[in-house]
Amino acid sequence: MLQHDSVPRRQQNQALGLATLAFTLCFAVWTLFSILGIQIKEDFGLSDTQLGLLMATPVLTGSISRLFLGVLTDRFGGRWVFGLLMLITATCVYLLTFANSYSMLLVGALGIGLAGGSFIVGVAYTSAWFEKERQGTALGIFGAGNVGAAVTNFGAPFLLLALGWKSTALVYATVMAIMGVAFIVLAKEDPSSRSRNAVRQPLSEQFAPLADLRVWRFSLYYFFVFGGFVALALWLPHYLIEVYGLSLGAAGIVAALYTIPASLFRILGGWMSDRYGARRVMYWTFLASVICTFLLSYPPTQYTIDGVRGPVEFTFAMPLVGFILLTMVLGFFMSLGKAAVYKHIPVYYPKSVGLVGGAVGMVGGLGGFFLPLTFGMLNDVIGIWQSCFMLMFVVVAAALLWMHHAIRKAERIEARDRCESTDLPELSTPSKFVLQDWRPEDESFWQTTGRKIASRNLWISIPCLLLAFSIWMVWSMVVAKLPQVGFDYSPNQLFWLAALPGLSGATLRIFYSFTVPIFGGRRFTAFSTASLILPALWIGFAVQNPDTPYLVMAIIALLCGFGGGNFASSMANIAFFYPKREKGKALAMNAGLGNLGVSVMQFLVPVVISTGSFVMFTGDGQPLSDSGMLWLQNAGFVWVPFIAIATVAAWFGMNDIASAKSSFKEQSVIFQRKHNWLMCILYTGTFGSFIGFSAGFPLLTKTQFPAIDALQYAFLGPFVGALSRAWTGGLADRFGGARVTFWTFLTMIAGVIGVLFFLMNKTMPMAFYGFFASFMLLFFATGVGNASTFQMIPSIFRKEVPRLMPNLTSAEQLVHAERESAATIGFTSAIAAYGAFLIPKSFGTSISLTGGPEAALLGFIVFYLLCTALTWFYYSRKGAEIELNLDAGPACKGRSKDHPKEASDA
């Protein structure tokens, strides 16, 4: 163990001084757009929303990079990571001067954002030099480098007026490069470098703390105290110029009066956290911030009162002096809160300061990205300058209420256990939610206890998954209406907006596949459901302004992919609850009724966007060219209350299974399993077709039968596919998943042939009805196949694991089989989800190259033939490598009369 007492005080101070100076310069560069952006806005003719995005983009890079930079610092030390990071950032600032378009500015802003990642490098480097009793003060001094924002707000306006924005950027690049070289030369390796180099911690162990929900609680607090600080540091100069009519120089000076106390008093916050405790400091921070943001959010208002002698009129408005004082007070308490949050990290995670601090800093930095971007959007949509402080008030009030509830709960635990808790256990899983004894294969346990618990978890999971599918696919409906409300996007841009949720949702499924055994099914279901609120709300605001930049719309489309990712974790979670004999039906119910979200969305959205019944809650509609109105924001807002209810139900109504815990390393063994990859192909054939046809069917109908209003029928396909999956899951349990899957693919081939026939004979009187019926057959078959393929996966691994791990006991083999089955279910769903992108793209490419969709349909037939052959060869034929039809219901003549279920599972 490192003895900090052996480190000379002079070396500690030298390390702290160098790190603080370097961080100050990095922070000055990170907030550079708060000043340069004002001149850039004029030069490039940017809107408020575009300026907000430009200011926020470096914050995005600085936030996300913190996690990875923290890992690098833990492994290689802060000296080289910090120095090289400054040199790379200096290069990006220099290259920014060559930008000649808004797109190039955004790319340059992404590179400059790396300067924000320096924070976690400095935290890990500084904390390694100091003993626990002084780490709060040391990190407070280091964190005072936030004053770099004041350096920019105070000095950059004068450089800008004298030299122009490009020369100002060159000055910053030069200073940053000099500091990067100086840090590498002058800084010393931290005292823990020798032990770190002697024992390399495996990545799986290094990332283990991220499974601790305490980390994410710290992150929530930091979202406000740091994310809010960065957001206001970026936004205040623009706000002061527009609201109070200040000059650029005066606005920079006033903004510095906010950023200076919000930075320097972090030193005091560190000392107070060491002396009085971080819990108390966080209380002071949130209480003061609630008061300040409430007063700042009150817009100038004219009042008229019916008095005794007639109307009495007066006006309330926040004067400039009052605004300056309130922002200074707000900055002061934010600085205390920033220090208090980071006081915890080296105490609880001494070996993972970089990783944990990086995760906390990443979330806080994301607040600095989303908040200024939202400030600009709120200005455009609401039209009130004080809306930025209204949003800040909502965030901090929610954080205060939640923290108070958590602390009261911690005090009750302290009183019960007669000890003082050093941590708040509000996010730990209470024992009543954890199933320590879970034996679904034990018939008596299942009948007396297990079935009731599993059913409750299933029926809470289903609406959560239904909402996830609704959010995932809602963008396809929104995109179709954007041109009607004034968005001037090209057809290619609209196509990419429709495709992006499919890409992000499929990619997120890869990660979500492994989350349930790491975080717990209850926790992650609640978290993943709550995450849907972000794209739902943002859609509601963004679609009200036709000037919203395309990049913002693309980000919202990517965020809709949260809904697509949820399927993988949801299915993996439900798989743990049910015995083998009922997995097929349970998974089919969860997925089938969840898939119904696509149909519900396609039915509900056209209704809610065409009515102004919710105008008092969602705002005015958008005028159409035919003098009509469309309330397109309702397509996002309508889901918010249902998501909130579902989140609460998941958090308080579902369970975590203790035996379902495993690391990513334990689950990643599926990548070595041949049958994992085979099932990826088969499930792509079924679910990939379902979700791809759901997205492509309306467009294909519109292009091939233009006289037909495709939106009237769009919901029927997903509706049929979802119900067939939900209500035919028992077929696979009864007849064997492989046999059902084999016949499913043959049925799908017949359906595609029918579609081809009626497309080639479109002039026939009943051509559309034949085309429609063929597609309904396709949707029905995909639903049946979705259920049967998922039923196959647990059966495959029940037979495969004993062959691969013969030395394990039967109980251990069962645990491994369940773990690999759940991971495979999630991973195959991730791969198959790319069908949401590939099938519409195939139709579009085929029409573009050949003039019709026939080439794409012929390609689908070839693929389905391949799936049929794989199913027959590996699983369905007699003597197959893993023959899955031996336990089929009617085929099993040796079933015991006394124990029919045990015999059928033999």
Side-chain angles (χ1 to χ4, degrees):
M1 183 176 177
L2 176 66
Q3 296 294 327
H4 290 89
D5 294 338
S6 63
V7 179
R9 184 64 58 88
R10 180 181 57 82
Q11 291 186 12
Q12 289 180 326
N13 293 337
Q14 179 183 356
L16 177 59
L18 277 172
T20 303
L21 177 59
F23 178 54
T24 301
L25 294 177
C26 285
F27 211 89
V29 170
W30 198 29
T31 57
L32 187 58
F33 278 109
S34 64
I35 300 300
L36 298 192
I38 296 171
Q39 183 63 49
I40 291 173
K41 178 185 179 183
E42 295 182 5
D43 291 351
F44 287 83
L46 306 181
S47 68
D48 277 347
T49 302
Q50 287 176 311
L51 177 61
L53 179 61
L54 183 62
M55 290 179 172
T57 298
V59 184
L60 177 64
T61 313
S63 305
I64 296 175
S65 66
R66 290 184 176 193
L67 182 62
F68 307 102
L69 289 171
V71 174
L72 290 173
T73 307
D74 284 341
R75 294 182 74 84
F76 302 109
R79 178 190 173 204
W80 283 100
V81 176
F82 214 153
L84 292 175
L85 180 64
M86 285 187 280
L87 292 175
I88 294 171
T89 304
T91 303
C92 293
V93 177
Y94 171 72
L95 294 176
L96 178 71
T97 61
F98 295 95
N100 56 17
S101 67
Y102 183 63
S103 301
M104 293 181 65
L105 287 172
L106 290 175
V107 173
L110 286 171
I112 291 173
L114 291 173
S118 64
F119 173 72
I120 191 53
V121 181
V123 167
Y125 179 75
T126 302
S127 63
W129 285 94
F130 290 85
E131 58 273 18
K132 181 174 66 174
E133 293 76 15
R134 297 181 61 217
Q135 282 176 336
T137 303
L139 292 178
I141 294 173
F142 167 77
N146 289 162
V147 78
V151 172
T152 291
N153 286 334
F154 182 79
F158 299 101
L159 289 174
L160 183 63
L161 293 174
L163 304 175
W165 74 267
K166 291 188 177 181
S167 296
T168 302
L170 288 176
V171 172
Y172 271 75
T174 303
V175 175
M176 177 67 84
I178 293 173
M179 188 64 217
V181 174
F183 195 89
I184 294 175
V185 174
L186 299 177
K188 298 182 182 297
E189 295 289 350
D190 64 78
S192 61
S193 60
R194 182 175 301 176
S195 59
R196 180 175 59 244
N197 294 330
V199 181
R200 287 291 185 187
Q201 189 180 21
L203 280 176
S204 59
E205 295 181 12
Q206 192 174 359
F207 278 93
L210 294 186
D212 189 348
L213 287 176
R214 181 199 294 129
V215 173
W216 305 107
R217 172 170 54 79
F218 294 160
S219 300
L220 178 62
Y221 298 159
Y222 207 60
F223 180 87
F224 173 77
V225 295
F226 178 76
F229 161 71
V230 173
L232 289 180
L234 292 170
W235 191 251
L236 276 181
H238 181 55
Y239 182 93
L240 290 163
I241 291 172
E242 298 293 341
V243 175
Y244 292 100
L246 299 185
S247 66
L248 177 59
I253 293 173
V254 173
L257 295 177
Y258 160 74
T259 54
I260 289 174
S263 304
L264 293 181
F265 284 104
R266 189 165 183 164
I267 302 172
L268 177 63
W271 177 82
M272 293 174 67
S273 297
D274 284 337
R275 183 174 180 84
Y276 300 109
R279 179 188 296 185
R280 187 173 297 174
V281 174
M282 289 306 302
Y283 249 130
W284 295 339
T285 295
F286 285 154
L287 284 170
S289 297
V290 163
I291 296 171
C292 290
T293 53
F294 175 78
L295 294 174
L296 289 167
S297 66
Y298 206 89
T301 308
Q302 293 182 341
Y303 294 92
T304 301
I305 300 174
D306 292 331
V308 176
R309 300 179 180 88
V312 178
E313 297 183 354
F314 64 93
T315 301
F316 173 84
M318 178 63 65
L320 178 60
V321 173
F323 180 87
I324 294 172
L325 291 176
L326 282 173
T327 53
M328 289 180 67
V329 173
L330 178 63
F332 169 77
F333 281 100
M334 280 181 157
S335 68
L336 301 186
K338 286 183 284 186
V341 172
Y342 266 87
K343 162 65 179 174
H344 290 297
I345 294 173
V347 175
Y348 291 115
Y349 306 98
K351 296 181 180 180
S352 303
V353 174
L355 174 72
V356 176
V360 173
M362 178 183 69
V363 174
L366 287 175
F369 170 72
F370 285 111
L371 288 175
L373 186 59
T374 308
F375 292 167
M377 293 179 62
L378 288 175
N379 265 12
D380 292 337
V381 174
I382 299 177
I384 300 175
W385 277 101
Q386 290 72 23
S387 58
C388 59
F389 292 107
M390 296 176 187
L391 177 62
M392 296 284 288
F393 171 77
V394 171
V395 173
V396 69
L400 174 61
L401 292 173
W402 182 83
M403 187 181 73
H404 179 67
H405 168 75
I407 289 176
R408 295 292 297 169
K409 183 175 182 179
E411 290 173 346
R412 289 195 294 269
I413 294 176
E414 291 171 0
R416 182 193 67 194
D417 298 339
R418 297 182 180 180
C419 66
E420 183 176 355
S421 173
T422 57
D423 186 32
L424 305 181
E426 68 276 8
L427 283 180
S428 62
T429 302
S431 56
K432 65 180 180 180
F433 293 128
V434 179
L435 303 175
Q436 299 291 345
D437 179 26
W438 188 249
R439 295 171 283 112
E441 301 297 341
D442 184 328
E443 182 66 20
S444 61
F445 173 85
W446 177 250
Q447 295 298 336
T448 58
T449 305
R451 184 186 296 277
K452 181 179 179 180
I453 296 174
S455 297
R456 185 183 72 245
N457 280 267
L458 173 63
W459 286 106
I460 294 176
S461 175
I462 286 172
C464 291
L465 190 55
L466 185 147
L467 290 168
F469 269 92
S470 297
I471 294 297
W472 190 25
M473 291 287 106
V474 72
W475 199 238
S476 63
M477 299 292 286
V478 172
V479 167
K481 298 294 184 180
L482 289 179
Q484 298 181 34
V485 296
F487 285 82
D488 187 20
Y489 297 153
S490 68
N492 186 54
Q493 286 178 311
L494 292 173
F495 167 77
W496 276 106
L497 286 179
L500 285 175
L503 287 175
S504 61
T507 304
L508 283 173
R509 284 189 178 194
I510 297 175
F511 301 99
Y512 280 30
S513 302
F514 306 99
T515 53
V516 169
I518 296 175
F519 296 101
R522 162 186 162 271
R523 292 169 173 170
F524 198 77
T525 300
F527 168 78
S528 60
T529 302
S531 70
L532 303 176
I533 288 181
L534 179 59
L537 284 174
W538 208 351
I539 286 173
F541 287 115
V543 298
Q544 296 183 60
N545 180 19
D547 293 327
T548 300
Y550 181 76
L551 183 58
V552 173
M553 304 299 275
I555 292 173
I556 300 173
L558 289 170
L559 291 177
C560 287
F562 284 159
N566 287 9
F567 180 81
S569 57
S570 178
M571 295 298 285
N573 180 44
I574 294 302
F576 282 112
F577 280 94
Y578 281 84
K580 174 193 171 185
R581 59 187 174 273
E582 296 189 29
K583 280 187 190 294
K585 182 179 179 180
L587 292 175
M589 289 287 290
N590 189 54
L593 296 182
N595 291 166
L596 200 59
V598 181
S599 186
V600 170
M601 180 276 300
Q602 291 179 340
F603 176 79
L604 181 62
V605 167
V607 175
V608 297
I609 65 176
S610 60
T611 177
S613 301
F614 311 107
V615 66
M616 63 180 299
F617 303 106
T618 62
D620 295 331
Q622 300 85 48
L624 302 177
S625 57
D626 60 358
S627 301
M629 292 288 287
L630 201 64
W631 290 264
L632 194 55
Q633 65 267 31
N634 291 350
F637 289 146
V638 69
W639 308 106
V640 172
F642 299 107
I643 293 171
I645 294 170
T647 299
V648 172
W651 186 257
F652 292 103
M654 297 185 72
N655 297 98
D656 295 317
I657 300 177
S659 61
K661 287 289 184 182
S662 64
S663 67
F664 173 78
K665 182 178 180 180
E666 292 172 317
Q667 298 177 77
S668 63
V669 69
I670 67 168
F671 298 125
Q672 305 171 24
R673 305 296 192 228
K674 174 178 67 177
H675 294 284
N676 170 57
W677 299 106
L678 288 172
M679 292 309 299
C680 283
I681 297 174
L682 299 186
Y683 195 59
T684 299
T686 57
F687 179 78
S689 297
F690 167 80
I691 200 67
F693 288 143
S694 296
F697 175 57
L699 180 61
L700 184 65
T701 304
K702 186 175 182 62
T703 58
Q704 302 304 305
F705 297 92
I708 303 297
D709 184 0
L711 291 182
Q712 292 184 5
Y713 306 96
F715 75 95
L716 289 175
F719 181 77
V720 170
L723 289 186
S724 67
R725 179 171 192 165
W727 304 117
T728 62
L731 289 177
D733 290 332
R734 181 182 177 95
F735 296 103
R739 181 177 291 134
V740 174
T741 301
F742 176 83
W743 286 104
T744 291
F745 283 122
L746 292 179
T747 305
M748 291 172 68
I749 292 172
V752 176
I753 292 174
V755 172
L756 265 173
F757 174 80
F758 290 107
L759 283 178
M760 295 171 67
N761 296 274
K762 287 188 289 186
T763 57
M764 293 173 53
M766 303 293 287
F768 170 73
Y769 297 101
F771 166 85
F772 181 79
S774 298
F775 251 110
M776 291 305 102
L777 178 62
L778 268 174
F779 276 111
F780 176 81
T782 60
V784 176
N786 288 338
S788 62
T789 48
F790 264 17
Q791 192 273 349
M792 291 169 63
I793 292 173
S795 300
I796 290 170
F797 284 96
R798 288 288 184 88
K799 296 187 177 185
E800 185 73 349
V801 168
R803 183 182 69 82
L804 297 172
M805 303 176 180
N807 296 328
L808 299 180
T809 65
S810 58
E812 291 172 334
Q813 289 173 350
L814 180 61
V815 171
H816 276 272
E818 292 295 302
R819 181 184 300 152
E820 293 188 28
S821 296
T824 300
I825 284 172
F827 184 72
T828 55
S829 73
I831 300 302
Y834 284 105
F837 171 77
L838 293 174
I839 286 183
K841 179 61 175 174
S842 297
F843 284 141
T845 302
S846 177
I847 293 172
S848 176
L849 296 178
T850 67
E854 290 79 9
L857 292 166
L858 289 172
F860 298 157
I861 291 176
V862 172
F863 180 68
Y864 296 152
L865 284 172
L866 172 65
C867 293
T868 304
L870 290 176
T871 305
W872 176 81
F873 184 80
Y874 283 102
Y875 307 114
S876 182
R877 68 183 175 89
K878 187 175 182 180
E881 184 174 316
I882 296 183
E883 191 173 353
L884 298 180
N885 293 325
L886 295 179
D887 57 351
C892 292
K893 297 180 180 179
R895 179 176 293 178
S896 167
K897 294 181 180 179
D898 296 327
H899 303 285
K901 291 183 179 177
E902 286 78 359
S904 68
D905 291 336

